[in-house]
Every structure is written in C-alpha cells, then in structure tokens.
Amino acid sequence: MKYRLTFLLMLLFVQNHYSQTEQDSLVHQEEQKVAEDPTQFLSRVELFSEYQHFENGINLNITTLRSVIKIGKRFTSRIDIPVVYNSKNTTDYKQFGLSDISFRLLGYKIYQSKKEALTLSIEVSLNTAQSPLLGSGKNVFLFMGSYTRFLIPKRLLFAGTLQQANSFSGDEARSDLSFSKLQLVLLYFLSKKSWVVISPEYFMDYIRGQQALNIEARLAYAPLPKFNLWAKSGAGLYGDFITRYQWTAEIGVRHFF
C-alpha cells in the first residue's frame, strides 16, 4: 500500500507542481518565454520524464505528456497523461502502463501588476491507472493558490504555492488522501536564454501525521523563443511521508503555442 500510494502523489506534483511562465510577462515584455512562475498562463505542450529512487530500493520512472490551454486573459486549463514504470517485482500487477490522468478544471488569475501576481486553481486526478502499482486507486480534488513577485526586476523571481489534496472516491480498499504541500521557488535568470531554479517543497499528511521535505534544482535553456529544454535533480532531506525520495532526476522539453 505504501508503494502504491507513492505514484499519484508524485504525478500530481511533478511537475503540477511545476507550472511554467514567460520571463517578462510581469514586466510587460513578450520576446522570451521561460519557466517556473505558477501565476502565468501560457498555452503549451510538454513532454518530461522523471526517475525517482527511494530508500527501500524501489525506483519509479514517470513520463508525462502535458497540454496547457490559455482561455482568455485570466483562465487556463491543463491535462496531464502520465505513464509509469515501477521497479517493484511482482507477478500480481502490471509494472508498466497508464497512471492517473489529471485535469486542471479551472485556473483563475485574481490579480497581476508589473511586479506581482496571484492565482487560484482547482484540479482533479482520476483513478485511471492500469494497475494498483501505477496509481493511488483514488479520485482526488486539489485546490491551489499561487503568488509571484520579482525581487530584482528581470533577474530574480520569488514564487510560493500552497496546495491541498483530498480524495473523494475510488477503491475502498485503498487509503484515503488528505495532505498539504507548500512549495517555494527562487528563479534566477542567468541570461535571456537560460535560468536556474531552486525549489524546496514541504508536505504535511493529515491522515497519518507524517511530513516530508524535498529540495530540487532545475537548469533550463531556451534555444528558441517558443522552445525550452530543462534538466532537474533533487534530494529528500527528511521526513517519513511517502513523497520523500532519496534522489530524483528529470529531463523535459516544452513548446509554446
């Protein structure tokens, strides 16, 4: 059960946990698009693959196809279609296949100025996994608020997101979900075409009273204005909540419409 629950939690944030942006949208420039501001809504398609290693020896490989569509100036939608490989050796369940598909039902930008922005979103993850090893067995609602501010114009960006996840139906034999995630992001622009991101993330599980703290770093590059590449690594710092891995690595590509 512990291993099975891991997959949804990672898939919900791998990234849903990593929204993308346009560097100068807050400073009224349009020539370059970059990553990591969760308050910016940009139509795009992404493909990224993450490898996670856990202390118990289990490894996960999560490959996600993501599509984001901006609707007007203040709304957005999103769909994530993840495929997972679980190294846990078993003859009872499939180790590879489709995991839980997630949708952003509504993303709404409440406020935006030259220096800061605030958004709210509602998302749902559906119990679509082909095997208990590949998903949570639950349908889950997620509510998220995000705030972004430029600390140094065109150079240093700060973002914070607070997310709450609660399961509402699914396999009765599987554990319910109720946890919060607080993520902080510091994004530093190395140049107009490259940037680095440092992002600690803290989890609090309300059902088991467990916690976890991870930290991740990302290096991204934009060879073309509408095309991004990135590589990410991360480490689990402490805690006993199942979102804590030993280490992780990810590569990805993004195209803006």
Side-chain angles (χ1 to χ4, degrees):
M1 187 69 66
K2 174 180 176 182
Y3 305 141
R4 298 172 191 174
L5 185 57
T6 301
F7 304 102
L8 173 70
L9 298 172
M10 290 301 170
L11 293 168
L12 293 176
F13 305 115
V14 113
Q15 306 1 287
N16 99 32
H17 86 14
Y18 291 120
S19 304
Q20 279 68 40
T21 189
E22 189 169 16
Q23 170 186 354
D24 294 324
S25 59
L26 291 181
V27 290
H28 297 270
Q29 296 185 12
E30 299 294 335
E31 69 273 14
Q32 185 177 354
K33 297 176 179 178
V34 298
E36 301 302 336
D37 178 359
T39 63
Q40 298 304 305
F41 300 155
L42 298 167
S43 295
R44 61 195 184 271
V45 62
E46 301 176 353
L47 181 65
F48 48 94
S49 183
E50 182 174 20
Y51 184 87
Q52 299 171 346
H53 176 73
F54 292 85
E55 193 171 15
N56 56 23
I58 297 296
N59 299 310
L60 304 179
N61 189 78
I62 307 165
T63 300
T64 303
L65 177 64
R66 169 175 291 174
S67 176
V68 180
I69 303 297
K70 180 181 178 181
I71 306 171
K73 293 183 178 180
R74 291 183 177 269
F75 295 92
T76 187
S77 64
R78 187 183 73 195
I79 180 172
D80 284 3
I81 304 175
V83 175
V84 172
Y85 171 74
N86 174 9
S87 70
K88 181 178 174 61
N89 191 14
T90 176
T91 59
D92 297 327
Y93 303 109
K94 291 182 61 175
Q95 293 179 262
F96 174 79
L98 180 69
S99 185
D100 296 331
I101 297 175
S102 65
F103 300 86
R104 175 173 290 168
L105 302 176
L106 175 67
Y108 178 66
K109 187 177 299 182
I110 297 175
Y111 171 78
Q112 182 174 15
S113 69
K114 292 182 179 181
K115 292 186 176 181
E116 58 187 355
L118 179 66
T119 64
L120 293 176
S121 67
I122 300 174
E123 303 177 14
V124 62
S125 176
L126 300 179
N127 178 26
T128 57
Q130 293 178 285
S131 161
L133 290 176
L134 306 176
S136 72
K138 294 291 184 179
N139 299 306
V140 182
F141 267 126
L142 298 105
F143 304 90
M144 184 174 73
S146 301
Y147 172 79
T148 296
R149 182 178 180 86
F150 269 107
L151 302 180
I152 302 175
K154 302 183 184 182
R155 183 62 64 178
L156 181 63
L157 182 84
F158 167 80
T161 65
L162 180 62
Q163 190 173 65
Q164 175 63 35
N166 291 93
S167 59
F168 62 92
S169 64
D171 187 349
E172 295 182 356
R174 305 290 291 276
S175 298
D176 290 331
L177 299 176
S178 179
F179 62 92
S180 295
K181 174 189 173 184
L182 174 64
Q183 182 180 36
L184 303 179
V185 174
L186 279 178
L187 186 154
Y188 183 75
F189 298 106
L190 302 172
S191 69
K192 289 184 177 181
K193 291 188 175 183
S194 61
W195 57 96
V196 63
V197 178
I198 304 297
S199 180
E201 53 184 23
Y202 170 77
F203 296 87
M204 179 63 194
D205 175 34
Y206 300 111
I207 294 178
R208 303 163 190 81
Q210 298 173 333
Q211 304 175 57
L213 178 64
N214 301 327
I215 188 166
E216 298 180 343
R218 177 183 295 202
L219 177 63
Y221 176 63
L224 298 170
K226 293 186 177 183
F227 187 74
N228 289 178
L229 303 170
W230 75 84
K232 183 188 79 174
S233 63
L237 300 184
Y238 80 84
D240 50 3
F241 190 39
I242 55 178
T243 52
R244 183 196 173 193
Y245 43 71
Q246 273 197 314
W247 58 267
T248 186
E250 178 185 288
I251 56 173
V253 60
R254 172 188 311 116
H255 176 69
F256 296 96
F257 300 143

